């Protein structure tokens, strides 16, 4: 029987809004891996599980949803399972158990032909190692995915040219990869991922091999592109500063399991345990926390004058106006006064940071 070469039917509930949904995902490496799940052995620390069963649980019962247009960052130290997780999403690595749904399509039970359709038309991946074709010019590297789809040369070159301009590579169309810097090569990789107009972009530590300044430029490039394109992104990193800068929400992993999921501000303000607390201990809180985390309840004697700000305003951004005003900051959400921020609240954050700065 010929395999169906399009994705399985959309099985999502009509009320579901997730672009990506992961439910109870496991990846266990080793003999009889599926027999580990659901047993007391599954809860053993990795060294003990390996010694007893010969298996390693790289991903342990991970569940999360990603909204359309969201930048969802998965972070953790080396060996936490984050790269295995992202490869399970498109079954580059086969999950041991659980389900993955992309735009309502069940990926876990897709055929090989359906997976090829997924990778060609719906999902693109950007890796740490650029994987560019050294014998092809930039324009043809960018157009490669369209070529695989069977798009005509004229059409794919036209589309690739537009994406080359979008990612800031104008003038380098005829260059070969070895003529470009690392940062520019990664722009080619990013352009290639965007050329097929995927609904989901997966980034597996794409900037970790770049110099710090180039890495910062590429992070800013992702932010700029996201403002323009509003793509759904899952971004893997071991760098907390990168996670805080890029993520709408952050999932922190340890030993294959989820430790905490939340917005950058929530992770910094309310770490789930000592592991996360150690991660965020050196983060400048005024650069991450919003007024929502420092405001107090309004009182009848509060001034009706002074600056009005959103609860999502970053403390550092609010500090100058707040400290320059003779009145408290009124925090307003959808036309309703929800909180008050006075100078003391701002200074407690800013002065505390200065006192621990080297």
């Amino acid at each position: 029987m010929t395999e169906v070469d399009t994705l399985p039917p959309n099985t999502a509930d009509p009320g579901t809004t997730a672009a990506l949904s992961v439910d109870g995902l496991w990846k266990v490496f080793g003999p009889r891996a599926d027999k580990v799940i659901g047993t007391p052995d599954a809860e053993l620390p990795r060294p003990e599980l390996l010694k007893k069963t010969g298996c390693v649980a790289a991903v342990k019962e991970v569940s999360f949803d990603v909204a359309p247009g969201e930048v969802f960052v998965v972070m953790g130290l080396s060996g936490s399972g984050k790269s295995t997780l992202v490869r399970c999403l498109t079954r580059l690595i086969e999950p041991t158990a659980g389900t993955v749904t992309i735009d309502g399509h069940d990926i876990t039970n897709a055929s090989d032909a359906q997976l090829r359709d997924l990778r060609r038309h719906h999902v693109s991946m950007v890796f740490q190692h650029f994987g560019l074709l050294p014998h092809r010019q930039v324009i043809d590297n960018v157009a490669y995915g369209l070529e695989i789809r069977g798009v005509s040369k004229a059409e794919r070159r036209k589309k690739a040219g537009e994406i080359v301009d979008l990612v800031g590579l104008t003038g380098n169309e005829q260059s070969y990869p070895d003529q470009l810097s690392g940062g520019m090569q990664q722009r080619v990789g990013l352009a290639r991922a965007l050329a097929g107009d995927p609904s989901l972009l997966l980034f597996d530590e794409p900037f970790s091999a770049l110099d710090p300044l180039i890495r910062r430029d590429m992070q800013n490039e992702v932010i700029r592109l996201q403002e323009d394109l509003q793509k759904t992104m899952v971004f893997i990193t071991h760098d907390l500063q990168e996670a805080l800068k890029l993520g709408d929400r952050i999932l922190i992993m340890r030993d294959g399991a989820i430790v905490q999921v939340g917005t950058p501000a929530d992770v910094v303000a309310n770490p789930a345990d000592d592991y996360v607390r150690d991660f965020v201990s050196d983060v400048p809180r005024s650069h991450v926390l919003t007024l929502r985390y420092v405001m107090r309840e309004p009182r009848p004697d509060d001034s009706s004058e002074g600056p009005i700000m959103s609860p999502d305003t970053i403390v550092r951004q609010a500090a100058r106006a707040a400290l320059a005003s003779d009145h408290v900051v009124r925090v307003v959400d959808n036309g309703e006064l929800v909180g008050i921020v006075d100078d003391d609240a701002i200074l407690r954050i800013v002065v505390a940071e200065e006192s621990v700065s080297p």
Side-chain angles (χ1 to χ4, degrees), residues 223-264:
I223 292 170
R224 181 186 70 81
L225 288 169
Q226 181 62 358
E227 290 174 351
D228 291 341
L229 302 176
Q230 291 298 298
K231 292 289 185 182
T232 306
M233 299 182 182
V234 175
F235 197 102
I236 307 299
T237 183
H238 64 270
D239 186 305
L240 179 62
Q241 295 295 342
E242 186 166 76
L244 295 173
K245 183 174 183 177
L246 296 179
D248 295 313
R249 284 188 301 146
I250 301 170
L251 182 156
I252 298 178
M253 295 185 72
R254 177 179 57 194
D255 293 338
I258 294 176
V259 180
Q260 184 168 2
V261 181
T263 65

Side-chain angles (χ1 to χ4, degrees), residues 281-293:
S281 61
D282 294 329
V283 173
R285 292 166 65 85
S286 69
H287 293 217
V288 179
L289 295 185
T290 63
L291 296 185
R292 190 184 305 275
Y293 292 87

Side-chain angles (χ1 to χ4, degrees), residues 161-173:
E162 294 171 357
I163 301 297
V164 162
D165 292 342
L166 182 67
V167 302
L169 285 169
T170 304
N172 293 280
E173 294 88 345

Side-chain angles (χ1 to χ4, degrees), residues 1 18 56 67 97-99 105 108 122 125 133 159 168 190 224 231 236 315:
M1 182 180 295
V56 174
T99 60
H105 301 285
T108 320
H122 301 275
M125 199 159 184
L133 301 171
K159 178 64 175 178
L190 182 56
R224 181 186 70 81
K231 292 289 185 182
I236 307 299
V315 169

Side-chain angles (χ1 to χ4, degrees), residues 43-351:
E43 303 305 317
L44 292 173
R46 277 184 176 173
E48 294 181 29
L49 177 65
L50 179 62
K51 182 177 181 179
K52 183 174 181 180
T53 68
C55 293
V56 174
V59 176
K60 298 177 62 174
E61 202 170 2
V62 168
S63 300
F64 60 88
D65 290 337
V66 181
E70 181 177 19
V71 180
F72 188 83
V73 175
V74 180
M75 71 157 297
L77 299 177
S78 178
S80 63
K82 56 190 185 299
S83 289
T84 301
L85 170 63
V86 77
R87 283 166 168 75
C88 285
L89 300 182
T90 57
R91 288 175 52 197
L92 292 175
I93 294 176
E94 287 288 345
T96 308
T99 60
V100 176
T101 306
I102 296 176
D103 291 335
H105 301 285
D106 180 4
I107 305 307
T108 320
N109 294 309
S111 68
D112 289 346
Q114 290 167 339
L115 287 176
R116 287 193 294 270
D117 177 68
L118 171 79
R119 295 164 188 164
R120 288 178 181 178
H121 296 91
H122 301 275
V123 179
S124 288
M125 199 159 184
V126 182
F127 297 94
Q128 174 182 342
H129 302 292
F130 317 128
L132 303 181
L133 301 171
H135 60 287
R136 291 197 174 203
Q137 295 175 339
V138 165
I139 192 74
D140 293 316
N141 265 283
V142 173
Y144 182 69
L146 299 175
E147 180 180 347
I148 295 298
R149 287 189 193 178
V151 177
S152 69
K153 184 173 182 178
E155 185 178 348
R156 68 178 184 255
R157 280 210 158 200
K158 179 177 182 295
K159 178 64 175 178
E162 294 171 357
I163 301 297
V164 162
D165 292 342
L166 182 67
V167 302
L169 285 169
T170 304
N172 293 280
E173 294 88 345
Q174 311 309 316
S175 299
Y176 288 90
D178 64 1
Q179 297 173 313
L180 303 177
S181 67
M184 293 181 75
Q185 288 185 48
Q186 192 56 285
R187 286 177 187 265
V188 178
L190 182 56
R192 182 178 56 190
L194 291 170
D197 194 25
S199 60
L200 176 63
L201 280 165
L202 305 178
F203 295 82
D204 188 12
E205 302 209 55
F207 309 144
S208 60
L210 301 177
D211 292 337
L213 290 178
I214 299 175
R215 183 172 187 158
R216 184 182 64 189
D217 287 344
M218 290 305 300
Q219 292 166 355
N220 292 336
E221 185 71 6
V222 169
I223 292 170
R224 181 186 70 81
L225 288 169
Q226 181 62 358
E227 290 174 351
D228 291 341
L229 302 176
Q230 291 298 298
K231 292 289 185 182
T232 306
M233 299 182 182
V234 175
F235 197 102
I236 307 299
T237 183
H238 64 270
D239 186 305
L240 179 62
Q241 295 295 342
E242 186 166 76
L244 295 173
K245 183 174 183 177
L246 296 179
D248 295 313
R249 284 188 301 146
I250 301 170
L251 182 156
I252 298 178
M253 295 185 72
R254 177 179 57 194
D255 293 338
I258 294 176
V259 180
Q260 184 168 2
V261 181
T263 65
D266 190 45
V267 169
V268 171
N270 304 303
D273 61 11
D274 288 342
Y275 178 76
V276 180
R277 192 170 292 108
D278 287 343
F279 253 124
V280 302
S281 61
D282 294 329
V283 173
R285 292 166 65 85
S286 69
H287 293 217
V288 179
L289 295 185
T290 63
L291 296 185
R292 190 184 305 275
Y293 292 87
V294 299
M295 67 187 188
R296 61 167 172 79
E297 291 287 331
R299 296 193 294 255
D301 60 342
D302 285 325
S303 171
S304 59
E305 301 181 54
I308 295 176
M309 298 185 187
S310 161
D312 296 319
T313 305
I314 302 295
V315 169
R316 182 168 177 259
Q317 297 170 348
R320 185 183 297 273
L323 296 175
S325 175
D326 293 331
H327 303 280
V328 295
V329 171
R330 292 175 293 154
V331 183
V332 175
D333 190 19
N334 292 323
E336 179 183 355
L337 180 66
V338 295
I340 295 293
V341 177
D342 55 25
D343 288 357
D344 286 346
I346 298 288
L347 290 172
R348 276 196 298 272
I349 301 294
V350 176
V351 172

